[in-house]
Amino acid sequence: MSDNDCRATLMTIATPLFAQKGFHGVSVRELAKAADMNLSMISYYFGGKEALYTAVLNEQFATLGQVAEIKSLALDPLGKFERYIHSTVERYRKNPYLLRFYTSELTNPTPSFELIVKPAIGRVLLVLHQIFTEGVAAGQFRRELDPMDTILALAGMINFYFLLEPVTKELVNHAPERDEVLVKHLMDIFTRGVAVSIDS
Amino acid sequence: MSDNDCRATLMTIATPLFAQKGFHGVSVRELAKAADMNLSMISYYFGGKEALYTAVLNEQFATLGQVAEIKSLALDPLGKFERYIHSTVERYRKNPYLLRFYTSELTNPTPSFELIVKPAIGRVLLVLHQIFTEGVAAGQFRRELDPMDTILALAGMINFYFLLEPVTKELVNHAPERDEVLVKHLMDIFTRGVAVSIDS
DNA sequence: GTCTATATTGCGATAGAC
DNA sequence: GTCTATCGCAATATAGAC
């Protein structure tokens, strides 16, 4: 197996294990066994368990970079927010373990939190904040709204929906076929919530 | 020290440690040292590390029981939702570690998830669902809204706000003095988002 | 590059003295 | 009830053979 195959295999195998059990919940023995490799390969290819975890986390959070591209799309602010929600759903579908790393690092931070997670989330919030400011300037959103409270509310709606999946599995249909409907519902609530009223 | 003092001390000391580092991130030696006790006291009083964790988790999630009381208050549905948001903020203030156990169990579940966490959250969602249904029947909320999507959006706004605190510490004022304003902002967005329009 | 074997440290739990 | 001492095992990491 080539260098790169081994590294990639280890990361692919490690991703769901770290995501589901947390950094301290997985041992190098378990990782090596799952990847069908000798446990010394983790040190050989990455330098240790923590370095493997950092590599996985970096890969996961790199996908958040797409959010910045929304800023420069040819859409009005509401359209950009819809794109944010839509792309967030899509990202969680393509990347079923991202949210677990996200919340795990927020709740039980490792040294990677300050280096990787916090800056990545910060950049997303910055983009959302800029979109909101744009919408206020365009007279689309109510001026009296607090920008940060508002964009955190938007981000909370969609992220919490996925975070609660282990609890709501039997209560709501989490099939990807319903994603478009979900996006529509959340945008419906958010749009009416923040838009300037017709009679003002 | 009496039986009950020892048990209570251990739980008080264990709560922030388990919350910040996760179950696997804390050792019985660390717990005993922090509580200034011999490590064998954990087994003596609780039967082991896992039983101590379960006791802490039980205590934490018992506070969610208050939500059920909202259902029978003499308030209209919107007033009950405001009470839910308000009491959630208050609960996180009084209980700074609850949200960490909440998300930690959702992300990296222990055996306690099915026994304690999932039922407790399920009961909260049930109450919110009932309040929403009540509001639809009263003609206060739009019929076309999906009840589950809507209440998850509401819960997401407030819970995600606190979950992101480690990232937004420098961006938003997290002082309790601003809590009332935050509740007002979120209710403002939610109310306009779900209420039946004036002209219909 | 991949293996075995092992060094070292830490873990949770408990037996038994007091 | 509280202590010390220790058991048995698992952890990460690495030295060295091939």
Side-chain angles (χ1 to χ4, degrees):
Chain A
M1 208 183 264
S2 85
D3 263 42
N4 249 323
D5 275 6
C6 267
R7 281 186 62 95
T9 302
L10 271 170
M11 287 178 68
T12 305
I13 294 293
T15 299
L17 286 173
F18 278 137
Q20 285 160 351
K21 303 176 158 204
F23 177 74
H24 297 292
V26 193
S27 68
V28 287
R29 282 177 167 78
E30 185 178 358
L31 288 165
K33 191 164 195 173
D36 199 26
M37 289 185 200
N38 192 281
L39 87 164
S40 58
M41 293 297 96
I42 290 165
S43 285
Y44 181 77
Y45 282 108
F46 291 92
K49 175 184 161 183
E50 185 160 344
L52 169 58
Y53 176 80
T54 305
V56 169
L57 208 68
N58 245 318
E59 186 181 61
Q60 291 287 315
F61 276 84
T63 66
L64 277 186
Q66 309 164 333
V67 175
E69 301 165 13
I70 298 174
K71 206 173 44 178
S72 46
L73 292 177
L75 293 167
D76 72 346
L78 264 181
K80 289 179 183 175
F81 277 140
E82 175 156 3
R83 189 61 161 253
Y84 161 72
I85 302 248
H86 186 274
S87 70
T88 299
V89 172
E90 210 172 55
R91 185 163 41 253
Y92 287 152
R93 291 301 178 197
K94 284 192 194 161
N95 223 309
Y97 302 105
L98 173 59
L99 185 59
R100 292 200 182 225
F101 287 106
Y102 193 117
T103 56
S104 176
E105 282 289 332
L106 280 167
T107 307
N108 308 132
T110 70
S112 291
F113 175 74
E114 294 289 337
L115 264 68
I116 301 173
V117 180
K118 192 172 168 180
I121 299 179
R123 281 189 290 270
V124 171
L125 296 182
L126 180 63
V127 170
L128 295 179
H129 191 281
Q130 289 170 337
I131 297 174
F132 183 80
T133 306
E134 201 183 306
V136 170
Q140 203 170 12
F141 302 149
R142 293 185 283 129
R143 309 198 91 84
E144 67 267 30
L145 291 167
D146 179 90
M148 265 300 168
D149 287 356
T150 307
I151 64 157
L152 286 173
L154 178 67
M157 288 182 195
I158 187 60
N159 282 286
F160 199 71
Y161 183 89
F162 282 91
L163 179 61
L164 271 203
E165 181 170 339
V167 165
T168 57
K169 215 168 271 179
E170 296 93 9
L171 300 171
V172 324
N173 177 12
H174 278 281
E177 290 78 38
R178 213 181 74 88
D179 285 350
E180 293 306 319
V181 176
L182 172 67
V183 173
K184 200 175 78 45
H185 285 171
L186 295 186
M187 276 308 292
D188 178 17
I189 295 173
F190 184 73
T191 302
R192 293 184 187 240
V194 303
V196 170
S197 334
I198 309 145
D199 55 36
S200 62
Chain B
M1 209 185 263
S2 86
D3 264 42
N4 249 323
D5 276 4
C6 268
R7 279 186 63 94
T9 301
L10 270 171
M11 287 178 67
T12 305
I13 293 293
T15 299
L17 285 173
F18 278 138
Q20 286 159 351
K21 302 175 159 206
F23 176 73
H24 297 292
V26 193
S27 69
V28 288
R29 284 173 169 80
E30 184 179 358
L31 287 165
K33 191 165 195 175
D36 199 26
M37 288 184 199
N38 192 281
L39 87 164
S40 58
M41 292 298 95
I42 291 165
S43 285
Y44 181 77
Y45 282 108
F46 292 91
K49 174 184 161 183
E50 185 161 344
L52 169 57
Y53 177 81
T54 305
V56 169
L57 208 68
N58 244 319
E59 186 182 58
Q60 291 288 315
F61 276 84
T63 65
L64 278 184
Q66 309 164 332
V67 175
E69 300 165 14
I70 298 174
K71 205 173 47 181
S72 45
L73 293 177
L75 293 167
D76 70 347
L78 265 181
K80 289 180 183 174
F81 277 140
E82 175 156 4
R83 190 59 162 254
Y84 161 72
I85 301 250
H86 186 274
S87 69
T88 299
V89 172
E90 209 171 57
R91 184 163 43 254
Y92 287 153
R93 292 300 177 196
K94 284 189 193 161
N95 223 310
Y97 302 106
L98 172 58
L99 184 59
R100 293 198 181 227
F101 287 107
Y102 193 116
T103 57
S104 176
E105 282 289 332
L106 280 167
T107 307
N108 309 133
T110 71
S112 292
F113 175 74
E114 293 290 335
L115 265 70
I116 303 172
V117 180
K118 192 172 168 178
I121 299 179
R123 281 190 290 272
V124 171
L125 296 182
L126 181 63
V127 170
L128 295 180
H129 191 280
Q130 289 169 336
I131 296 173
F132 183 81
T133 306
E134 201 182 305
V136 170
Q140 204 169 12
F141 302 148
R142 292 185 283 129
R143 310 198 90 85
E144 66 267 30
L145 291 167
D146 180 272
M148 264 299 168
D149 288 355
T150 307
I151 63 155
L152 286 173
L154 178 67
M157 289 182 196
I158 186 61
N159 282 287
F160 199 71
Y161 183 89
F162 281 91
L163 179 60
L164 272 203
E165 181 170 338
V167 166
T168 56
K169 215 167 271 178
E170 296 93 8
L171 301 170
V172 324
N173 178 11
H174 277 280
E177 290 78 36
R178 212 182 75 87
D179 285 351
E180 293 307 318
V181 175
L182 172 67
V183 173
K184 200 174 79 42
H185 286 170
L186 295 185
M187 276 308 291
D188 178 17
I189 295 174
F190 183 74
T191 302
R192 294 184 186 238
V194 304
V196 169
S197 335
I198 310 143
D199 54 34
S200 62

